[in-house]
Amino acid sequence: MTNTLYVGAEDYIQAMHVTAVPDDFDELSALAGMYLDEITNNYYQMHAIDDDPFDLRVTRFKRAVMLQIKYMADTGIKSSTQYKAAQAQTVSQSIGATTVSKTLGDAAANVSGTIVCDDALRSLSGTGLLYRGVMHL
């Protein structure tokens, strides 16, 4: 499998209504494609995106890539480690003058979460790319 850039800089500028791409656009585009390949079971690694007869699926996939690029550029989160660290939470409990605090770090906070942003996932809904089949009982 190759690291495919599904979205070019000009496509991003036009679709996202911005005047410039992020400085690290190529890296973000490659990472976004990789993360979306993972959740779509590498669909466009095994099928040529330009040959897909379902235009809506292609459009929504490319939109998801762009939304993921924007999310990573806005938050600075580019890896699952950074994502989990950002999910860390501090929980405090006070009784009288005594306060106990505990920080739930990357091992405890949102371990089932994903670096793929909610907007990208919503963009893929209804395309069949997120279908995982029926669990074997």
Side-chain angles (χ1 to χ4, degrees), residues 109-130:
N110 200 7
V111 292
S112 64
T114 175
I115 190 171
V116 177
C117 69
D118 291 340
D119 291 334
L121 289 173
R122 276 197 270 320
S123 182
L124 292 174
S125 67
T127 64
L129 292 171
L130 297 176

Side-chain angles (χ1 to χ4, degrees), residues 9-10 12-14 16-22:
E10 288 302 318
Y12 183 85
I13 288 170
Q14 185 176 16
M16 299 302 285
H17 306 288
V18 295
T19 57
V21 295

Side-chain angles (χ1 to χ4, degrees), residues 89-104:
Q89 302 172 16
T90 300
V91 178
S92 297
Q93 181 67 50
S94 297
I95 300 175
T98 304
T99 301
V100 177
S101 297
K102 177 168 176 106
T103 299
L104 304 172

Side-chain angles (χ1 to χ4, degrees), residues 26-98:
D26 288 340
E27 177 191 8
L28 294 176
S29 184
L31 285 170
M34 181 181 71
Y35 293 137
L36 289 170
D37 280 341
E38 288 174 5
I39 66 167
T40 61
N41 202 23
N42 294 303
Y43 184 82
Y44 285 119
Q45 289 291 323
M46 296 184 211
H47 303 88
I49 195 167
D50 295 329
D51 296 340
D52 192 339
F54 187 27
D55 290 334
L56 179 64
R57 178 172 47 210
V58 173
T59 301
R60 303 248 328 248
F61 180 81
K62 287 185 177 185
R63 181 188 320 154
V65 171
M66 291 182 218
L67 290 168
Q68 184 64 28
I69 291 168
K70 181 176 178 359
Y71 168 79
M72 291 187 296
D74 289 349
T75 64
I77 297 172
K78 298 180 188 178
S79 70
S80 59
T81 303
Q82 290 173 328
Y83 173 79
K84 289 178 184 178
Q87 300 300 312
Q89 302 172 16
T90 300
V91 178
S92 297
Q93 181 67 50
S94 297
I95 300 175
T98 304

